[in-house]
Amino acid sequence: MALEHAILVSLEERSGSGYELARRFDKSIGFFWAASHQQIYRTLKRMVDLGWVTCTEVAQDGKPDKKVYEVGDTGRAELRRWLAEPGDPAVLRNDLAVKIRGASYGDIPALLAEVARHRDAHAERLDVYRVIEKRDFPDPAALTGRHLHQYLVLRAGVRAERGLVDWFGEVLEAMRRDGGEDR
Amino acid sequence: MALEHAILVSLEERSGSGYELARRFDKSIGFFWAASHQQIYRTLKRMVDLGWVTCTEVAQDGKPDKKVYEVGDTGRAELRRWLAEPGDPAVLRNDLAVKIRGASYGDIPALLAEVARHRDAHAERLDVYRVIEKRDFPDPAALTGRHLHQYLVLRAGVRAERGLVDWFGEVLEAMRRDGGEDR
DNA sequence: CTATACATGTAACTAGTTACATGATTTA
DNA sequence: TAAATCATGTAACTAGTTACATGTATAG
């Protein structure tokens, strides 16, 4: 499991409250590791119990109090350990591929409409990533350290979304050709 | 959840035992939807309770008895329903992207070795997919129906694996350049 | 006065992983 | 005689989702 570790990375970059972490998991980190606020609050509690992070209550005016979490030495050591630990290669998981494999057992035009909807959604995300890429990293060759690492994970997002958009396009093209010919 | 539905698709293609399904989930279907035998047995039991599949015990000689599962009318209706049902666009999940984002908090050369290991593993899977592609689908333009659908999900695998291999290559190239220069 | 942002949580459920458990037959 | 394949399961645990629950402050 990597949620604890994703939180450690995020808190090393900048300490913050559960709410703030939940915001970050709606963007940046969340582009490649999704987490809901319920999951984050639960995990933060566990991380405090483990001594990985410390929690300080902070009063604010005009806003509710918040609890700010910060990575401690134990947490930093755990992050180092995890970063060096070998893991299994990722396994793919693709709902729509299951549906396409089973297309002939259902309503094919309806499924193609669904594929088109997903293609559009992923194309939109791809645009978001590309805007960020151009805005924040106009000269990739000059990047070093943390900025380079941030750029590279954004590249993973760009490549994955573009791959999906292209694949959905291939599916639509081939299945429309197939459906159009023998009917 | 799609495991029930992945099993329905697989059993529609050909009825079989839990063990046989577990084999199929080690290849073909499993290329884009992994499932362990424990999960499959548990899910098959639930599907019998729901009336989606029927179960027949079959005696074999030289081998233990087996239970053969077959899709019933209720199961077929459920599959149709699920195929027409809209779903959310896939969210990405990439452990190594989290590690790369946190690279500066750990041992970077060790992490790059891990990245290279994953690149090799995905390159191997890509080769497997390409062999299957050339062997089973030498003339994609001529494909129709179920064969076409099978080809298209294989294409998803090819695209996803190639995307990962390329990305790992980009990561290695950029981070080696970065590490090599300022040391 | 309504919606949005800020802020934190619990409870119940669903899905997935890991470890344990058994036993026959075939191949090297 | 050891390993691999065939065959089926239980138990405990970990992770993730959905629904419920509450309350303040600000902007339109």
Side-chain angles (χ1 to χ4, degrees), chain A residues 17-38:
Chain A
S17 68
Y19 186 83
E20 283 159 1
L21 281 168
R23 302 289 91 213
R24 294 183 208 170
F25 277 83
D26 280 345
K27 36 183 210 294
S28 65
I29 307 259
F31 290 160
F32 47 90
W33 198 277
S36 61
H37 80 273
Q38 293 91 335

Side-chain angles (χ1 to χ4, degrees), chain A residues 55-70:
Chain A
C55 172
T56 319
E57 269 190 69
V58 174
Q60 301 182 107
D61 55 88
K63 289 178 190 177
D65 297 357
K66 64 177 177 180
K67 296 180 181 174
V68 172
Y69 294 88
E70 208 173 333

